[in-house]
Amino acid sequence: MQLEIRGLSKTYGNGVKALDNVSLTIPTGMFGLLGPNGAGKSTLMRILATLQEADAGTAMLGTIDVLKQKDEVRKVLGYLPQEFGVYPRVSAFEMLDHIALLKGVTQRGERKALVEALLQRVNLWEQRKRRLSGFSGGMKQRFGIAQSLIGEPKLIIVDEPTAGLDPGERNRFYNLLTEIGENVVVILSTHIVQDVQELCSNMAIINKGKLLYAGPPDSALRDMRGRVWEKSIAKAELDGYLNSGKLISNKLVAGKPIIHLLNDGSPGEGFVTAEPSLEDVFFGFIHASNQAPVNA
Ligand code: ADP
């Protein structure tokens, strides 16, 4: 089973082209969809989750036509949206029980066993009687995973799952995601490079609705080897580099800027080649696409 997206486009009523002829093949396992805010990730996720219509293109999950056979998709879909609206007065157990019922687990005993197993799996058993409104961000995300797993989904979509989580919560969430079966297509949409680095064997980078890269993170890193240049500079020099059009990242180390440039050959005195990081890959692609003329 894989997800084949071909020529997907979506323009909103205000003229924003959120998806521009996107084609992607997504195998089973963890797939990272990386892009800055406004890239079109949520639009793509919502279309695949049957919550929104595309203007053009196709998406096939195995033999299921995702854009047309919405009921079929929903039977095999687990969706964890960016904002999970929860019922404040309801406990985690009651809410999962309710969602399982909606997803067609009508037999009471079966539903109870399923909900109990899920609560154990996402490590919310101790909190099962607590109201969801009192949950921390990390607990809400783990609850979100539990509800998305009801019905043994074949396609799991998680939209910006770690935004707002503290490092401990993020780690617990990563561990949980990696336990999801390898025979499931899991799409993780995020603007956080670390999410993809830690979890994904395949990824895509999008910006302004356009696909910029698709493939394993390793290949992208390999392609950049020898072209990432690093230099520690004085603060006063930073503006000049920012305006040069070649800077892909800068960070402060002990108060001093360390810059990364993408260049074939040394950009000048004091630069040394740096081992590319996934951040270099990401910012390199985004930077190049932001520099490209519109409609290129
Ligand atoms: P991301 O999830 O990567 O942040 P989105 O898919 O939410 O990106 O948005 C892509 C682009 O479409 C952005 O420019 C956003 O402002 C615009 N957009 C998203 N939803 C709507 C909408 N309902 N109406 C008009 N424009 C929208």
Side-chain angles (χ1 to χ4, degrees), residues 34-294:
L34 196 54
N37 286 327
K41 303 182 298 295
S42 293
T43 302
L44 179 56
M45 298 301 96
R46 285 196 302 263
I47 289 172
L48 297 174
T50 75
L51 299 172
Q52 205 172 322
E53 301 285 336
D55 299 334
T58 58
M60 298 292 297
L61 178 68
T63 56
I64 302 173
D65 184 330
V66 176
L67 305 186
K68 293 193 178 130
Q69 297 172 280
K70 294 190 179 167
D71 287 343
E72 295 304 308
V73 179
R74 286 170 193 155
K75 278 184 206 156
V76 296
L77 172 74
Y79 179 50
L80 175 54
Q82 215 165 341
E83 295 281 323
F84 189 67
V86 287
Y87 300 162
R89 300 190 149 272
V90 176
S91 74
F93 188 99
E94 288 167 322
M95 187 67 186
L96 278 184
D97 189 70
H98 178 65
I99 296 171
L101 186 62
L102 291 180
K103 283 201 179 179
V105 190
T106 48
Q107 214 269 324
R108 228 184 141 150
E110 184 194 347
R111 203 164 64 240
K112 183 162 182 281
L114 171 71
V115 168
E116 287 182 356
L118 281 171
L119 284 164
Q120 301 269 15
R121 186 161 169 196
V122 301
N123 208 7
L124 285 176
W125 179 251
E126 300 294 324
Q127 287 85 22
R128 67 191 181 281
K129 292 179 183 163
R130 269 180 67 178
R131 285 176 183 174
L132 290 165
S133 56
F135 273 21
S136 71
M139 285 158 65
K140 278 183 183 156
Q141 287 305 65
R142 281 184 280 139
F143 175 83
I145 282 288
Q147 64 80 27
S148 78
L149 289 175
I150 295 171
E152 295 184 16
K154 293 274 174 276
L155 170 64
I156 296 180
I157 293 175
V158 277
D159 199 355
E160 299 276 353
T162 65
L165 300 191
D166 68 37
E169 288 176 329
R170 183 170 293 180
N171 264 335
R172 276 196 290 278
F173 188 73
Y174 284 163
N175 287 332
L176 182 59
L177 275 181
T178 53
E179 284 170 19
I180 295 174
E182 284 172 5
N183 297 324
V184 180
V185 175
V186 185
I187 308 178
L188 184 76
S189 147
T190 182
H191 66 274
I192 299 170
V193 176
Q194 190 199 355
D195 289 351
V196 174
Q197 187 154 325
E198 303 220 357
L199 296 170
C200 301
S201 44
N202 281 290
M203 68 167 193
I205 298 175
I206 66 168
N207 191 27
K208 299 176 184 168
K210 285 200 165 103
L211 183 72
L212 305 178
Y213 174 82
D218 290 355
S219 314
L221 289 168
R222 223 174 18 243
D223 290 349
M224 254 189 196
R225 212 167 268 161
R227 296 173 58 220
V228 178
W229 297 86
E230 181 175 286
K231 187 181 178 183
S232 172
I233 58 167
K235 267 187 183 163
E237 295 176 89
L238 188 57
D239 277 348
Y241 282 108
L242 284 171
N243 294 330
S244 74
K246 287 196 166 168
L247 197 73
I248 47 173
S249 69
N250 73 86
K251 61 181 170 196
L252 290 174
V253 175
K256 237 185 145 187
I258 300 218
I259 57 167
H260 277 189
L261 253 64
L262 199 58
N263 207 48
D264 295 322
S266 173
E269 206 174 316
F271 280 95
V272 291
T273 49
E275 188 60 31
S277 67
L278 206 53
E279 290 214 334
D280 291 326
V281 168
F282 177 57
F283 289 117
F285 274 108
I286 298 303
H287 184 74
S289 81
N290 284 339
Q291 301 255 311
V294 181

Side-chain angles (χ1 to χ4, degrees), residues 7-13 16-20 43 47 52-58 67:
L8 212 59
S9 291
K10 171 79 188 177
T11 303
Y12 286 108
V16 172
K17 208 167 204 179
L19 292 176
D20 188 358
T43 302
I47 289 172
Q52 205 172 322
E53 301 285 336
D55 299 334
T58 58
L67 305 186

